Amino acid sequence: MKIAVFNWNGSCCLGLVDEANGVLSRFDVPHHVCEKAGVTALIGQEFPKVVEDCNLVDVQLLAPVPRPHRNVFCVGKNYHDHAKEFSRSGFDSSAAKGEVPEAPIVFSKVPQSVIGPGKPIRIDEKVSTAVDYEVELGVIIGRSGRNIRSEDALEHVWAYTIINDVTARDLQGIHSQWLIGKSQDTFCPMGPWVILRDELDLSDTGVRCFVNGECRQNSNTGLLIFDVPTIIAAISNGIELMPGDIIATGTPAGVGIGFKPPKYLVTGDKLRLEIDGIGTLENPVEAW
Ligand code: MG
């Protein structure tokens, strides 16, 4: 099942997505709850009753978690081919430790960087002239846990979505820590909705990114260096994961920095990110 957060007649709503028929079945959830928690309002409970059907074309989709309750956890250099291209780019402050990390590299993006489908990724040329895209599988945690064992980890997952881990490469290189380069305003597009845990095959799901229709990234979740259970075990090692936490699992090769010369994002670009079984996340690029 797919669950979306959307704007309908000026109010924030939650609903079940029926893509084939272009319908969103709106749940009976108060608007202020939808606004605050997004899809995570439904974690651990029966689905509320449906109050009406809305046409998908008539609503504005929002990020499934419009404002995460804390930073989005992110994993860096988690596909072999991308680990190589990034280590060789000259912007990788962790390159001295080798191309392929021995343990997951974990950083975060601030909640305020999240935007929904269709909203512009904004480039401020006074701040960065090296803005890059990264398609990633997003994991939404449904059950809390600390020191979670990898063999138990998937029981703590509630749903999956698509995240674009937009990055200012120049800032990522200047600052040894990646937070500033990763957390610029509008740099965390998320959506178009979530699918529940059991509907995605982590061992074989296609992940793609197109810029202006050109396929730049084309990979598969089966090629992750550290798989989702390993990531959850690593992050929860002394940190209690909580329902509503979000993890971006890393991006494959084909980011702008991997090309010679680099293909950074510019105003007017159109991004389309696809993950099989989830859907398509599209965002334009605009200037501030
Ligand atoms: Mg990333």
Side-chain angles (χ1 to χ4, degrees):
M1 272 183 279
K2 298 176 171 129
I3 305 163
V5 180
F6 57 99
N7 224 316
W8 169 244
N9 289 337
S11 299
C12 188
C13 306
L14 279 173
L16 263 186
V17 181
D18 175 355
E19 257 189 302
N21 293 303
V23 171
L24 270 166
S25 299
R26 183 168 80 79
F27 287 132
D28 185 16
V29 179
H31 300 307
H32 71 276
V33 174
C34 300
E35 239 167 62
K36 184 160 191 286
V39 293
T40 67
L42 302 182
I43 291 175
Q45 57 164 297
E46 300 271 305
F47 284 165
K49 70 178 192 315
V50 169
V51 286
E52 66 178 329
D53 284 342
C54 315
N55 288 323
L56 201 45
V57 293
D58 294 336
V59 309
Q60 180 198 5
L61 291 170
L62 304 174
V65 188
R67 190 61 77 240
H69 68 150
R70 60 175 169 175
N71 285 20
V72 176
F73 294 99
C74 304
V75 183
K77 292 168 63 169
N78 200 23
Y79 286 83
H80 287 280
D81 50 1
H82 172 66
K84 284 198 184 84
E85 73 178 351
F86 183 53
S87 291
R88 292 166 187 172
S89 71
F91 287 89
D92 180 10
S93 52
S94 70
K97 291 194 163 183
E99 280 180 355
V100 176
E102 289 174 9
I105 294 173
V106 181
F107 58 94
S108 74
K109 295 169 93 80
V110 299
Q112 290 75 12
S113 61
V114 171
I115 59 170
K119 291 288 185 213
I121 297 161
R122 294 204 182 268
I123 294 180
D124 184 344
E125 288 191 346
K126 295 190 295 298
V127 177
S128 174
T129 54
V131 177
D132 211 343
Y133 49 85
E134 295 189 350
V135 60
E136 307 198 7
L137 175 70
V139 176
I140 298 176
I141 297 295
R143 197 208 294 176
S144 62
R146 186 168 180 275
N147 301 346
I148 297 167
R149 300 185 310 171
S150 58
E151 53 265 47
D152 302 327
L154 293 184
E155 293 168 24
H156 294 261
V157 173
W158 182 67
Y160 298 103
T161 190
I162 306 173
I163 288 176
N164 189 348
D165 177 18
V166 181
T167 305
R169 295 291 178 207
D170 36 11
L171 298 178
Q172 188 183 25
I174 291 167
H175 304 282
S176 298
Q177 299 283 323
W178 298 354
L179 185 91
I180 295 174
K182 294 284 191 177
S183 289
Q184 298 277 299
D185 295 342
T186 74
F187 275 23
C188 192
M190 187 191 298
W193 39 62
V194 300
I195 65 162
L196 298 183
R197 175 186 67 197
D198 294 337
E199 296 166 39
L200 190 103
D201 179 2
L202 287 170
S203 69
D204 184 17
T205 291
V207 175
R208 291 172 296 278
C209 173
F210 299 82
V211 181
N212 304 324
E214 178 193 349
C215 185
R216 298 274 184 87
Q217 297 181 276
N218 186 1
S219 190
N220 192 290
T221 54
L223 298 173
L224 284 166
I225 296 171
F226 301 105
D227 63 10
V228 171
T230 305
I231 293 167
I232 289 172
I235 294 175
S236 72
N237 191 24
I239 298 177
E240 183 181 6
L241 281 176
M242 296 185 273
D245 280 342
I246 301 169
I247 303 170
T249 53
T251 204
V255 297
I257 194 71
F259 293 89
K260 292 199 175 16
K263 294 184 177 182
Y264 296 128
L265 294 173
V266 295
T267 298
D269 280 347
K270 306 270 185 226
L271 280 155
R272 191 171 92 243
L273 279 54
E274 299 176 351
I275 296 186
D276 292 339
I278 301 180
T280 301
L281 172 63
E282 295 182 282
N283 296 89
V285 179
E286 294 181 8
W288 270 109

